[in-house]
Amino acid sequence: MYTPVLAPIAGSLTLSALLAALPLVLLFVLLGVFRMRAWLAAAISLAASVLVAVLGYPMPVGPALLAASEGAAFGFFPILWIVVNAIWIYNMTVHTGHFDVLRRSFARVSDDQRIQGVIVAFCFGALLEALAGFGTPVAVTSVMLVALGFQPMKAATVALVANTAPVAFGALAVPITTLATVSGLPLHDLASMVGRQTPVLALFVPMVLVGIIDGRRGVRETLPATLACGVTFAVAQYAVSNFFTAPLTDIVASLVSALAVVLVVRGRRSTAENGDSRAEIVRAYAPYVIIIVVFALAQVPAIKNALTGVTVTFNWPGLHLATASGKTSTLPAFKFDWLDAAGSLLVIAGLLTIPVIGISPGAALRTYGRTYRQLATAIVTVMAVLALAYVMNASGQTATLGTWMSNAGGLFALLSPVLGWLGVAVTGSDTSSNSLFGALQVTAAQHAGLSPTLMAAANSSGGVLGKMISPQNLAIAAGAVGLAGREGDLFRRVFLWSLLLLAIMCVLVVLQSTPVLGWMVV
């Protein structure tokens, strides 16, 4: 059984942290500076992480490669399993022409691309995040924006930046429930605390989206709609997470904010002609209604128990790991929830969609095959990035970075969201970041005399801002809009927005750790 060493380089945590950061720095430099294709950058960085594990840490080659293989498998299932099936449903609607009907329907609400971007990327994206998460909103909304007339690069950028404020409560609040499990803190306290942080982001994100689409002039001209969207989403997210139930937070917030935008712009209805029949419009919306219904039914206790009853959990063959503290690591445990997984529910939704939109089974099957070809490079990228993340976690590289940052004392309040941001940037998942750093955040908070609930929540709230720069999400967005190979260009477009919003979250957390905003802490 391999046990990580936190400071393998001359016993120095700082030197060890510099070495541990090497694969991540290499990945982002290859993407952002050298504009290398994401799959190649991820593969090179994966090789670097294995070399660091074997040469810098005392990890044998065998366990390092086994950890990489488990990470690659996790990258395909459940993450890519969600993305592929979500894009498949979209591609079927394109094949039958129903997506054009949907586009025209959105144009009737408003023919203003800026408003369409807010409704599709932020409001509808938040609903998809609430139900499925794990890349689904980016995959679906980016192609919807292209269908509405957006340039592919701008569509992908808007979809990535929009996928921020809802992430902490995504997939029916799985990131929060995971954080509660690993930190030992009450679920309601964590949900309430996150619900007092991420709504601040929601106030700004709709305006940021319009700024990306149309610059400062656009922000000024659409201010009533973006304010209505941001404020209603923020209020709903705060209210539901603090006074009702975490899993429903983003569902309620997304619907309320969409309604608010529609009410604000209804006085300036589009003049676009729409000759589509009511039946065609219903069929165009049907796939997304079916998705919502399938995911909602999957949460009914009796149905959920039936779906999870066939879940298989097993230890990855040959991989035996311990944590730095000597406890048996849970990393080798692979959960194969083949029926309850979001991707499997999307398959069910897709099968129900086939007769509704009138596509033949043969055409649906051929579309499924084309979807895999369309996402081929994204599949390689995501599997390589998750393999890298697993090697870093298994070898101790991630723990070294987290422990080094936790030694900052009172300054840890500033670094806490950054740690969550880093975790999501690597894994592409707020759930995974909370699994990695949730317990560490609590320990560091106790040593620094800070609120454990505040620091644990900051991990999740800061983490949401790492989604847009995560290589796997960059690959998903680029692949969805036909820009595979241009992930580096996309990375440069979103990186500064990620840093700016992260800075806002860091300032908020620091103020919440002081008497200035200490009254906000649960």
Side-chain angles (χ1 to χ4, degrees), residues 130-340:
L131 295 170
F134 294 103
T136 305
V138 171
V140 174
T141 61
S142 58
V143 290
M144 289 182 73
L145 292 174
V146 170
L148 288 167
F150 282 71
Q151 292 296 321
M153 183 62 70
K154 185 170 288 187
T157 302
V158 169
L160 285 166
V161 175
N163 192 218
T164 50
V167 168
F169 293 99
L172 298 168
V174 167
I176 305 295
T177 55
T178 301
L179 183 61
T181 300
V182 301
S183 67
L185 298 173
L187 172 62
H188 179 72
D189 288 355
L190 290 170
S192 298
M193 193 65 244
V194 174
R196 302 176 191 194
Q197 294 172 335
T198 55
V200 175
L201 298 175
L203 295 174
F204 296 102
V205 172
M207 287 181 277
V208 169
L209 299 181
V210 173
I212 293 171
I213 295 169
D214 193 36
R216 294 180 181 178
R217 178 180 64 87
V219 174
R220 290 194 302 270
E221 292 178 355
T222 61
L223 200 57
T226 55
L227 277 177
C229 180
V231 170
T232 53
F233 189 96
V235 170
Q237 198 176 52
Y238 162 74
V240 177
S241 62
N242 276 262
F243 304 112
F244 293 98
T245 177
L248 295 180
T249 298
D250 279 348
I251 294 176
V252 174
S254 61
L255 295 175
V256 169
S257 61
L259 178 62
V261 175
V262 171
L263 291 176
V264 168
V265 303
R266 69 176 182 176
R268 297 178 290 171
R269 295 296 290 272
S270 167
T271 58
E273 295 295 327
N274 192 328
D276 300 309
S277 68
R278 187 179 299 273
E280 285 298 300
I281 293 174
V282 169
R283 279 195 287 270
Y285 279 93
Y288 303 99
V289 174
I290 290 172
I291 290 173
I292 293 170
V293 171
V294 168
F295 276 88
L297 289 176
Q299 302 310 310
V300 175
I303 297 176
K304 188 169 184 63
N305 289 338
L307 294 174
T308 58
V310 294
T311 296
V312 177
T313 301
F314 60 91
N315 285 330
W316 198 252
L319 186 59
H320 307 287
L321 302 173
T323 64
S325 62
K327 297 180 181 178
T328 301
S329 173
T330 59
L331 191 68
F334 192 91
K335 183 180 180 183
F336 186 51
D337 50 344
W338 62 274
L339 194 53
D340 185 50

